[in-house]
């Protein structure tokens, strides 16, 4: 019999995952002072964390036919907890980087397994979006906590939340059963979803990186621009709660979400409406990745491999797209920022429509 508190502990896990992902960037000023890194150092800790996450996601995906979900999830949450505790107590910069890698490994494994588990359930669209809304709450809360206290306290608090989340291991993670070999048809099925993840990252990460700059370059005061940027992230969190309440069909939700995001980014080309446009873009983007995972889980028995491909392509997009947007814009031409990001959303819309039509014809 599964514990009644499995679902709350799952949401606690996503809260910890979101907070751990967002804490490092917010903590860079503190880290630079604490470890004597200079005025522009410290970004290596974010790379170390993401490297660990990428390794875990790839490994869990490629070895999905051999790994058992429950012990791997338990190990992932323990690695996240242990890495965060070690980072909080790290005496040197090198030991902190190693701790960040360990925490990242735990993050990657837990994100993949929990998303796949929720996406594969009978209420997948609702649960996976609600769970990712909790991820967003953690991502919003972590920078506020870092600003209010020292990083070690925040990391230890997140580690404690991850530890409290361990009962989720007793939840419905799916039965470890033999799956058919991966063939060409599986790769063909997964490929467009990997493209969707890559293009989604182009919108989310580029918007997160450039909204404040766009608003500042068009005449908004920096502190006001920072507050307006929060509207984009708030849209992401709110959308993951609201959208599943009104729609349940992934093949409809994903294209419509890209369309709404595209429209919002085009609205944002008007400086007077930029904040509203970015909030609308965030609202549209919100359900794309969680719902795409549900869509994939309904189409293939290789749910972990498919989820790994989607999340890995999204992480690669996180690295590539903000840099590409930066090459297309300057302070003298801030109006290019929003259309550049909108291009990713429009390409995502085309890919999602093609995928929905192709899958409908296949059945």
């Amino acid at each position: 019999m599964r514990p009644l508190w499995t679902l709350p502990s799952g949401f606690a896990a996503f809260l910890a995952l979101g907070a751990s992902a967002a804490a490092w960037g917010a903590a860079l000023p503190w880290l630079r002072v604490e470890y004597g890194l200079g005025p522009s150092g410290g970004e290596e800790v974010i790379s170390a964390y993401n490297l660990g996450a990428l390794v875990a996601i790839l490994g869990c995906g490629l070895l999905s036919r051999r790994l058992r979900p429950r012990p791997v999830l338990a190990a992932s949450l323990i690695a996240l907890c242990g890495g965060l505790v070690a980072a909080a107590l790290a005496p040197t910069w090198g030991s902190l980087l190693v701790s960040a890698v360990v925490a990242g490994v735990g993050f990657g494994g837990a994100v993949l397994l929990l998303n796949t588990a929720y996406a594969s359930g009978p209420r997948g669209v609702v649960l996976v979006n609600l769970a990712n809304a909790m991820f967003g709450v953690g991502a919003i809360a972590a920078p506020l906590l870092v600003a209010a206290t020292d990083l070690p306290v925040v990391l230890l608090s997140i580690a404690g939340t991850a530890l409290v989340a361990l009962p989720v291991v007793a939840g419905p993670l799916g039965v470890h059963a033999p799956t058919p070999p991966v063939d060409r048809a599986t790769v063909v099925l997964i490929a467009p979803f990997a493209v969707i993840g890559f293009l989604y990252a182009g919108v989310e990460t580029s918007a997160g990186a450039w909204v404040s700059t766009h608003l500042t370059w068009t005449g908004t005061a920096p502190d006001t621009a920072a507050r307006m940027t929060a509207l984009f992230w708030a849209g992401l969190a709110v959308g993951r709660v609201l959208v599943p309440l009104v729609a349940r069909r992934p093949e409809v939700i994903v294209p419509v979400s890209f369309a709404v995001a595209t429209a919002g980014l085009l609205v944002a080309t008007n400086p007077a409406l930029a904040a509203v446009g970015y909030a609308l873009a965030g609202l549209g983007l919100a359900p794309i990745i969680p719902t795409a995972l549900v869509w994939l889980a309904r189409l293939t028995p290789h749910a972990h491999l498919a989820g790994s491909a989607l999340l890995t392509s999204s992480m690669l997009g996180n690295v590539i797209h903000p840099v590409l947007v930066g090459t297309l814009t300057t302070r003298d031409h801030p109006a290019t920022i929003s259309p550049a990001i909108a291009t990713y959303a429009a390409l995502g819309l085309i890919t999602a429509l093609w995928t929905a039509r192709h899958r409908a014809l296949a059945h």
Side-chain angles (χ1 to χ4, degrees):
M1 182 176 179
R2 293 165 184 156
L4 294 177
W5 57 327
T6 292
L7 187 59
S9 66
F11 285 178
F14 274 95
L15 187 69
L17 292 169
S20 66
W24 303 105
L28 283 179
W30 186 91
L31 291 171
R32 288 167 183 151
V33 173
E34 184 69 15
Y35 291 95
L37 304 176
S40 60
E43 290 82 1
E44 302 91 341
V45 71
I46 299 175
S47 297
Y49 186 82
N50 287 329
L51 173 64
L54 183 59
V55 168
I57 290 172
L58 281 172
C60 288
L62 294 174
L63 299 175
S64 59
R65 299 184 69 208
R66 300 182 180 181
L67 299 178
R68 295 182 179 275
R70 295 181 195 280
V72 174
L73 177 57
S76 297
L77 290 173
I78 291 170
L80 176 64
C81 180
L84 293 174
V85 171
L89 305 176
T92 65
W93 180 240
S95 60
L96 182 100
L97 291 178
V98 173
S99 301
V101 172
V102 174
V105 169
F107 171 88
V111 161
L112 176 61
L113 289 167
L114 285 172
N115 270 302
T116 303
Y118 283 124
S120 301
R123 294 178 296 165
V125 172
V126 174
L127 288 180
V128 78
N129 276 282
L130 288 177
N132 279 276
M134 291 302 298
F135 185 101
V137 171
I140 293 169
L144 299 177
L145 292 174
V146 169
T149 185
D150 289 338
L151 179 63
V153 175
V154 177
L155 294 181
L156 290 172
S157 299
I158 299 171
T161 305
L163 196 61
V164 168
L166 271 175
V168 74
V169 175
L173 297 178
V175 178
H176 181 74
T179 56
V182 176
D183 54 13
R184 181 178 179 276
T186 301
V187 175
V188 170
L189 186 152
I190 293 174
F193 289 93
V195 175
I196 286 172
F198 186 72
L199 293 170
Y200 168 88
V203 185
E204 183 193 296
T205 307
S206 297
W210 284 98
V211 167
S212 183
T213 299
H214 181 199
L215 295 173
T216 302
W217 285 357
T218 53
T220 304
D223 56 343
T224 303
R227 288 194 293 270
M228 287 182 174
T229 302
L231 293 174
F232 171 74
W233 298 108
L236 279 171
V238 171
R240 285 172 178 161
V241 176
L242 293 183
V243 172
L245 300 180
V246 298
R248 300 293 172 87
R249 295 174 60 195
E251 65 274 19
V252 173
I253 293 174
V254 175
V256 169
S257 296
F258 271 121
V260 172
T262 304
L265 290 165
L266 293 177
V267 169
T269 59
N270 183 337
L273 298 174
V276 175
Y278 283 122
L280 181 62
L283 191 68
L285 283 176
I288 291 176
I289 290 296
T291 306
L293 288 167
V294 176
W295 195 358
L296 264 173
R298 292 177 180 178
L299 295 175
T300 176
H302 300 281
H304 288 121
L305 176 61
S308 174
L310 178 63
L311 295 176
T312 299
S313 63
S314 180
M315 292 187 69
L316 291 175
N318 290 342
V319 176
I320 295 171
H321 294 304
V323 177
L324 291 179
V325 172
T327 64
L328 299 174
T329 185
T330 65
R331 181 181 288 273
D332 295 330
H333 300 91
T336 58
I337 294 176
S338 181
I341 302 172
T343 301
Y344 292 127
L347 290 173
L349 170 60
I350 293 169
T351 305
L353 287 172
W354 181 89
T355 303
R357 182 175 182 276
H358 182 73
R359 297 315 310 167
L361 290 174
H363 289 81

